[in-house]
Amino acid sequence: MSVRWETEGLQTVGIVCLVIMFLKLMHLLGLIDITETDSSDSDLELSTVRHQPEGLEQLQAQTKFTKKELQSLYRGFKNECPSGLVDEETFKTIYSQFFPQGDATTYAHFLFNAFDLDRNGSIRFEDFVIGLSVLLRGSVTEKLNWAFNLYDINKDGYITKEEMLLIMKSIYDMMGRYTYPSVRDEAPSEHVEKFFQKMDRNRDGVVTIEEFIETCQKDENIMNSMQLFENVI
Amino acid sequence: MAAGVATWLPFARAAAVGWLPLAKKTMPKPPVDKKSRNDEILFVNVSGLRFQTWKNTLDRYPDTLLGSSEKEFFYNEDTQEYFFDRDPEMFRHILNFYRTGKLHYPRQECIQAFDEELAFYGIVPDIIGDCCMEEYRDRKKENQERLAEDTEAEMATDTPLPPHSTSRERLWRAFENPHTSTMALVFYYVTGFFIAVSVIANVVETVPCRPPKGSKKDLPCGEKYSLAFFCMDTACVLIFTFEYLMRLFAAPSRCKFMRSVMSVIDVVAIMPYYIGLVMPENEDVSGAFVTLRVFRVFRIFKFSRHSQGLRILGYTLKSCASELGFLLFSLTMAIIIFATVMFYAEKGTKGTNFTSIPASFWYTIVTMTTLGYGDMVPNTIAGKIFGSICSLSGVLVIALPVPVIVSNFSRIYHQNQRADKMRAQQKVRLARIRLAKKGTTNAFLQFKEEVGFQDRDSDSALCLKNRSSFEHQHHHLLHCLEKTTNHEFTDELTFSEMCMTESVGYRTSRSTSISSHQGVSTSCCPRRAKRKAIRLANSTVSVSRGSVQELDTLQVHKTSAGPQSRSSLNARTEDLKLNCEDRDFTAAIISIPTPPANTPDESLPPSPAIPGILRNSRSTSFTHETVKISSL
């Protein structure tokens, strides 16, 4: 009895196999559409987001660069990012190349936010150039403003200790492990304390823009060093 | 650093303003950039194709030719551009590398040309982008293999023996390359013949012959003519043993030889005979002995020494080992699966052949290789269904690795064919090279004649041939070398003749070919023609000279009375003037056993390797080829 069941069972199995193979063959040939969504084709359309910058004259008006400088800058920019936009990942990769020993991604994140003025997740050429103009050709106040904007992570107008700590930690991260003397774990917080002692006039735990600019203007070292990077371009 | 990084560096530096309020120490001074920052467009002219690019683009890679000051060497002031006399098509790719930071390999270009261009521009090929790296590597490997093959083929077989080889080396060479000497060829064919005889004997031995009188059963011929077959077998084995021992003796590395495949085959081929001799005629042992006789068939593999195709086949199988392994593995998997299924499908049938799964293996193999003997056939429906699936899949599984093996075989076969063709062309190539060399020497020797003119006789017409300034300078160089070492260049023929003998007692009569050249024009060129004729004549003269140094006379006859007949007819003519006119020479070599450092006047041109034998008379030095040992 069991033998007969075995035989019949195998028979059934065989017939079922055949039917399935036949159906698959039909589907492959395109004669039947098995109702399962085939979503592979939609990936073929690549959506290319592209951005064209504003005209040369407008940029000249907005920044302090000459026409030639803008042209040179744009050529370099376009060469690297043909789509005209830099997203955060690319930015992090690029910036990390300059600091091979440490981890520059966190600081790059903050830097990205500082450049990305309209907070849309990508730096356009205008953002790029306006930021550079402030950094290289701007007045001292503008530069300090920019720095304050960088430190103020949530852009609420106040630098808190936590924000500063994050910034400081990311800067120390860029140094990496192999430094002399070794970076201790407390080094960032100590540095933050010193910073707050210097900047926070009214000891309310936050640094406002006025406090910041005032303190910096009184500090000779800082003022002298502001001219350092003017000849970068 | 990549190009992109260079672009972003100013940006990163500008962003450093953000650290300034936090700095613990004062910042260092920035580097002063003396160069003008204005970017300019450079013009690069490559063989007429003008490229223009920004200077900054080229500066991205300062350790290449275009990125460094090395390109200033190619700057052309008049046209204000950099001119390179190289391939303009390739330059496109080089320039693209500067622009995009990725080097691409153009598939239609020759790999060597590409490499040379890269080397010229100072670009390391390692930076080829991933998209083209594979192709580049493959082509490069292919090229290198081919070059290695060529050099191997050149050096290997047909090179002439080194002069001082022992008999053992010569024997080995005779074995390896039968076409080097007649003896080797004879031996090669003899062994081939005996291999064939032995194999045929093995085969015929088992054919049933007519039984001898008094017996009904058919006997295999081996037993009927056992003595004859035994003698033949003995003879073959003797030859094989002899050959094996000779090879063993001649092999440069005996251990390596004994481990090689061919030697193992040889041993396996002849061992059964000896074992058979040694073993007693015992009924029990003769069973094992019969097994040994099977190994006699390995003699057929000895043919692989004689047949290149067999060797190629063996080599192909070796190189396709992985594909064959895959084939075997997949087949085994499929066999096990289908055998199991068939067994269970056919289990219920009465009197079925599928008694166990291993028994079903046979059915599966026969079906998958589409043999279909029909000795095991499924009866149930399920069995038939699975059986048909089995045969269909068998075709697929076996067909898959076959193209790989075929392509491997084809590649190896073509390689071999190419090697053979190269060997055939070897002779032609060598001859051409020799001719070219001789041409240079001839030109030089001719030049020396004419210089000889100018030395002695300013009146004689200067026969300036159309020689390029390169040739002039080259000849001057050779001349300087001669003066340095105080030896002179001669050519091969004269040198070899001088080696052979110096005794020229007789002069053969002038060949007619020479006299036919008498009325040639007064340009310098007929000298060459005459020289050729004289050489021809010389070559026809048989060399029947002793090897004794003797003095011979040098005679110069002038047949055509030209206006500048300054020929002298005495034996040692140092002041033979050869002018552009036709002249016949009858000359012989004067061999004087005087030391080479004689007088510069005599300027005896001793051949470099024979210090004791000198040639007198400067005239002979100029017409080496003409002045042969035998006079004409």
Side-chain angles (χ1 to χ4, degrees), chain A residues 3 6-7 10-11 13-15 17-18 21 68 72 75-77 79-81 86 91 94-95 97-99 107 111 115 128 132 135-136 143-144 146-147 150-151 164 167-168 171-172 174 191 194-195 198-199 212 216 221-222 225-226 228-229 231-233, chain B residues 1-31 33 37-40 54 56-57 60 98-100 340-349 380-383 385-386 388-389:
Chain A
V3 174
E6 258 180 29
T7 324
L10 267 176
Q11 218 162 289
V13 167
I15 294 179
C17 264
L18 268 182
M21 285 204 306
K68 267 201 184 310
S72 176
R75 275 203 305 274
F77 185 81
N79 218 7
E80 294 313 307
C81 315
V86 185
F91 185 82
I94 292 170
Y95 199 74
Q97 284 176 348
F98 295 106
F99 304 98
Y107 187 69
L111 208 53
F115 270 95
F128 179 68
L132 272 185
L135 288 171
L136 301 176
K143 288 182 191 173
L144 290 172
W146 188 90
L150 171 68
Y151 304 145
M164 204 58 224
I167 299 271
M168 202 60 77
I171 292 181
Y172 275 91
M174 282 198 288
H191 200 150
K194 259 185 51 186
F195 177 77
K198 216 167 68 163
M199 300 281 169
F212 182 71
C216 287
N221 274 340
I222 296 179
S225 58
M226 281 287 164
L228 268 180
F229 295 106
N231 295 324
V232 161
I233 296 245
Chain B
M1 277 185 149
V5 177
T7 317
W8 288 97
L9 183 61
F11 169 78
R13 294 181 69 199
V17 167
W19 303 335
L20 294 178
L22 307 174
K24 280 191 181 165
K25 299 243 170 75
T26 47
M27 294 290 189
K29 289 233 176 309
D33 204 358
R37 299 316 241 97
N38 282 335
D39 213 354
E40 41 167 338
W54 292 106
N56 274 354
T57 315
R60 286 193 196 144
Y98 285 91
R99 290 188 187 129
T100 61
T340 315
V341 171
M342 290 308 294
F343 169 69
Y344 281 112
E346 291 288 308
K347 201 161 144 193
T349 325
T380 59
I381 296 181
I385 291 176
F386 288 114
S388 44
I389 298 178

